[in-house]
Amino acid sequence: MQPKNLIVIVSDEHDARYMGCSGHPLIKTPVFDQMAAAGTRFTNAYTPCPICVPARAAFATGQYVHRIRHWDNAMPYTGSIRGWGHVLQDNGIRVESIGKLHYRYAEDPAGFDIEHIPMNVYNGVGMVWGSIRDPMPEAPPTRMLGDYIGPGESTYTEYDRSVANLTVDWLQETAAQKSDEPWVLYVGFVAPHFPLVAPEEFFSLYDIDAMPSSKLLPADGHPHHPWIADHEAFWSHDSRFKDPQERKTAIAAYYALCSWVDHNVGRVLGALHETGLSINTRVIYTSDHGDNVGARGLWGKSNLYQESVGVPMIMVGPDIKPGVCNTPVDLLDLFPTILDGAALDPAPEMADRPGRSIFAIGEAPDDAERIIFSEYHAVGSNFGGYMLRKGKWKFHYYVGYSPELFDLDGDPEETTNLAGRAAHAEIVAMMEAELRKICDPEAVDALAKADQQALIEKHGGREKARLVGAPGATPPPSS
């Protein structure tokens, strides 16, 4: 590709379905909709791990979580494994970050020339209590979603406003330099991550009483899969709502936070156009993972259903053709994409990495059979969980539990598990065989637990380790 500037914008916890351009009937995301209309939207994009820190380490390195062994939110990226930023630096390309990274320390050589107001894991160690998995520890006493839900300001909305302001300033200063040298800028927003508190301007866009009912609720006779049931037994969130009205308020607040991040991305794109940099700058928008937003009575991420593992992926800018691409992609694909956008040949770096440039994928005919893999070894899971997408089939393998199989063509909402049906036995066997080409799930589960146990011992054993780390959302640097 011809070298261009590139902005990679990563939000936190944005389910791909919560955009107007992806067909949501209520959500208001005019900026994302305009990006999708002008560029390429990937309809089947996934995270390599549905929780923040491992997903971001995988994104940085372009490698599966089980290969880099960043298992949970107490094992942040340190820069010790080569990432796309290091390749850019080796080739003299300016690369900086603004906002949330969720790495370890700003002082670590993580592949950025400068990290502006970085948000990293709490105290450089993260949620060590979440590494205790077998048996599970006592759940935190606090409500993960926050004590208050509704309109207002949180430290996260204030931080995102600062990230947007600084990004606008950065673009204006960069344009004033009038340099022809290409650059890469990473921008990290926190929304729509909980706490579910959104600025009044955006919260008022939604009628609380018009919020839709959630699907597959246990209270309506839809029992959880045993792996999910064990997770919920550890730390249930839906049961902590004060009443049904607060649950509806939570849904409205999530919608509002999606509109809030849309607004902030719009500020970045506006500055690009005002400075003239849009002529030579491509933009990619995505998120680290999704959010269940009440489906199945689940909130947050940390499971393998579409709401949790699906992410938005939109690219726009010079030489990007408008349209949709149905080929499955994931965050690992951004490693070669970023190099490709800077006119560097990704091939020398890709021998042990599974990704492909989404610039190339977007130009090629759809490849529905492309395999995508995700995994989970973090807080709330007694045993590892693995997801494989191949064609219309989506397969969940749980160590020690029965699997799940969904036909996404006929059942995009994943309402009917086909894994126990004789008619689908061959499909289950085929999907498990494909999974085992990527990893041995039992061996990986044992390795994750061994690494986590070593971390627990490093912090003085189980009783001390369960008190280490923020109990819920990571605080931003200002607090």
Side-chain angles (χ1 to χ4, degrees), residues 7-11 35 185-189 261 265 268-269 283-287:
I7 300 178
V8 180
I9 304 175
V10 180
S11 64
M35 289 178 68
L185 177 66
Y186 165 93
V187 179
F189 291 112
V261 73
V265 171
V268 174
L269 297 184
V283 179
I284 295 172
Y285 172 73
T286 189
S287 195

Side-chain angles (χ1 to χ4, degrees), residues 51 65 70-75 127-138 227 230-231 234 302 375-386 398-399 401 441-453 455-456 462 465-466:
I51 194 169
V65 167
H70 290 269
W71 305 108
D72 59 35
N73 277 3
M75 298 183 178
M127 295 166 51
V128 175
W129 62 266
S131 300
I132 305 172
R133 299 171 54 215
D134 192 11
M136 300 298 295
E138 181 180 347
W227 190 83
D230 284 351
H231 191 290
F234 162 65
S302 303
E375 59 191 303
Y376 187 81
H377 310 277
V379 58
S381 62
N382 285 314
F383 296 91
Y386 307 83
Y398 306 103
V399 173
Y401 297 82
E442 284 75 22
V444 167
D445 181 58
L447 179 62
K449 289 178 177 176
D451 286 350
Q452 288 163 330
Q453 184 58 39
L455 179 67
I456 291 164
R462 181 184 178 93
R466 71 182 184 85

Side-chain angles (χ1 to χ4, degrees), residues 1-15:
M1 298 185 72
Q2 291 297 314
K4 305 284 185 186
N5 306 321
L6 178 63
I7 300 178
V8 180
I9 304 175
V10 180
S11 64
D12 198 318
E13 209 147 313
H14 189 183
D15 178 352

Side-chain angles (χ1 to χ4, degrees), residues 356-385:
R356 290 167 50 198
S357 169
I358 66 170
F359 293 129
I361 291 173
E363 290 287 340
D366 289 347
D367 177 11
E369 296 298 307
R370 187 182 186 220
I371 290 175
I372 295 293
F373 169 84
S374 188
E375 59 191 303
Y376 187 81
H377 310 277
V379 58
S381 62
N382 285 314
F383 296 91

Side-chain angles (χ1 to χ4, degrees), residues 31-310:
V31 174
F32 295 142
D33 300 349
Q34 291 166 9
M35 289 178 68
T40 302
R41 180 174 67 89
F42 294 85
T43 61
N44 296 299
Y46 290 91
T47 181
C49 180
I51 194 169
C52 300
V53 171
R56 290 164 181 272
F59 157 69
T61 61
Q63 297 198 33
Y64 293 130
V65 167
H66 65 267
R67 296 202 62 181
I68 57 176
R69 295 165 70 171
H70 290 269
W71 305 108
D72 59 35
N73 277 3
M75 298 183 178
Y77 183 57
T78 65
S80 61
I81 300 172
R82 186 171 173 82
W84 50 262
H86 299 117
V87 183
L88 296 175
Q89 289 179 318
D90 289 349
N91 286 273
I93 295 173
R94 179 187 180 191
V95 53
E96 299 184 20
S97 75
I98 302 174
K100 181 171 182 177
L101 288 168
H102 233 173
Y103 296 169
R104 186 178 65 173
Y105 294 120
E107 295 76 17
D108 287 332
F112 294 107
D113 302 338
I114 304 174
E115 294 179 8
H116 301 274
I117 57 170
M119 177 177 166
N120 289 315
V121 299
Y122 183 64
N123 284 343
V125 297
M127 295 166 51
V128 175
W129 62 266
S131 300
I132 305 172
R133 299 171 54 215
D134 192 11
M136 300 298 295
E138 181 180 347
T142 56
R143 184 169 71 172
M144 181 186 72
L145 302 180
D147 293 333
Y148 168 74
I149 293 172
E153 294 286 343
S154 72
T155 56
Y156 276 5
T157 57
E158 293 168 356
Y159 178 69
D160 275 357
R161 190 176 288 109
S162 297
V163 170
N165 289 341
L166 188 54
T167 303
V168 169
D169 292 345
W170 192 96
L171 292 171
Q172 291 172 343
E173 292 168 4
T174 297
Q177 295 170 7
K178 300 185 182 301
S179 172
D180 293 329
E181 295 298 318
W183 46 260
V184 173
L185 177 66
Y186 165 93
V187 179
F189 291 112
V190 186
H193 192 288
F194 54 84
L196 296 175
V197 179
E200 172 64 37
E201 175 186 354
F202 299 93
F203 190 87
S204 64
L205 294 173
Y206 300 98
D207 179 357
I208 294 174
D209 293 329
M211 292 298 101
S213 299
S214 299
K215 70 179 182 183
L216 301 175
L217 296 177
D220 295 335
H222 301 282
H224 284 142
H225 181 279
W227 190 83
I228 296 292
D230 284 351
H231 191 290
E232 284 295 284
F234 162 65
W235 197 14
S236 174
H237 308 304
D238 197 68
S239 63
R240 298 195 181 198
F241 286 115
K242 298 168 187 172
D243 51 45
Q245 188 70 6
E246 190 184 37
R247 186 179 289 105
K248 284 189 173 185
T249 303
I251 295 172
Y254 184 82
Y255 286 19
L257 287 169
C258 290
S259 294
W260 167 242
V261 73
D262 178 86
H263 165 78
N264 284 313
V265 171
R267 293 194 59 206
V268 174
L269 297 184
L272 263 184
H273 288 288
E274 290 166 7
T275 57
L277 290 172
S278 59
I279 297 172
N280 200 37
T281 304
R282 303 183 182 102
V283 179
I284 295 172
Y285 172 73
T286 189
S287 195
D288 57 354
H289 49 72
D291 190 302
N292 294 283
V293 198
R296 299 177 175 81
L298 306 175
W299 294 82
K301 51 276 186 180
S302 303
N303 60 63
L304 306 175
Y305 298 116
Q306 287 287 95
E307 293 83 6
S308 179
V309 295

